[in-house]
Amino acid sequence: MALFPSTSIPSAAGGYDIDNSCRFDDGDSAYLSFTPSGAGNRQTWTFSCWLKRGNLLGDTRADIFSVGHQTNNGWTDQNCFEIQFGAGGVGEPDGIRINGINTIFLRTNRVFRDPSAWYHLVVAFDATQSTATDRLKLYINGTEETS
């Protein structure tokens, strides 16, 4: 993984740093980037992170994680996946949504408006499940978000 550009802010204020953590200034364009060497298992996977909101963004969406591959025809739901604090709709902009380009796969009615709170976010995907509602799950602080 590499940080581009290398202008991240120290991970904690008050004279200490948290090992292996990053803090990003929303006024900059810094982000993490990783290019895998192969396709890996795209049938079952889990994404997990701890996050803390720096400030609330109003109508602006804020990506937590995104991955995609642009084709000659542009971005499509088949090659784009995002986890974000969304903009517009039920429970948003301070809710979390998981979407492709044109499809919202899951979104929370619960909002996350406390910039002093840490949230543990887990997204679990299992395409082998026969029931659609079992294929994509979102957990915040150990609680499954079902609506």
Side-chain angles (χ1 to χ4, degrees):
M1 258 186 249
L3 181 63
F4 300 103
S6 58
T7 59
S8 66
I9 300 170
S11 58
Y16 67 92
D17 289 329
I18 300 170
D19 289 342
N20 301 313
S21 67
C22 297
R23 178 179 167 196
F24 298 95
D25 182 336
D26 63 0
D28 292 338
S29 58
Y31 62 93
L32 295 172
S33 175
F34 173 73
T35 303
S37 60
N41 181 347
R42 294 179 288 171
Q43 296 295 307
T44 57
W45 52 264
T46 303
F47 172 82
S48 174
C49 71
W50 283 94
L51 63 97
K52 182 178 181 182
R53 298 194 73 176
N55 53 32
L56 305 179
L57 301 172
D59 292 359
T60 306
R61 73 174 195 214
D63 288 343
I64 298 166
F65 173 84
S66 66
V67 63
H69 181 299
Q70 191 170 14
T71 67
N72 291 336
N73 297 325
W75 297 95
T76 66
D77 281 343
Q78 289 77 33
N79 60 23
C80 181
F81 181 84
E82 299 173 311
I83 304 167
Q84 60 190 194
F85 290 104
V90 177
E92 298 182 52
D94 298 318
I96 293 175
R97 72 180 183 183
I98 300 173
N99 55 269
I101 292 297
N102 298 310
T103 304
I104 296 175
F105 303 119
L106 190 149
R107 72 172 159 214
T108 67
N109 287 327
R110 184 162 64 128
V111 294
F112 305 91
R113 294 187 177 134
D114 184 354
S116 68
W118 281 95
Y119 300 106
H120 183 226
L121 179 141
V122 175
V123 175
F125 179 76
D126 186 350
T128 66
Q129 294 295 316
S130 58
T131 306
T133 55
D134 290 336
R135 292 183 194 132
L136 180 67
K137 296 191 179 217
L138 170 65
Y139 300 88
I140 305 293
N141 296 338
T143 301
E144 183 178 0
E145 297 292 323
T146 57
S147 62

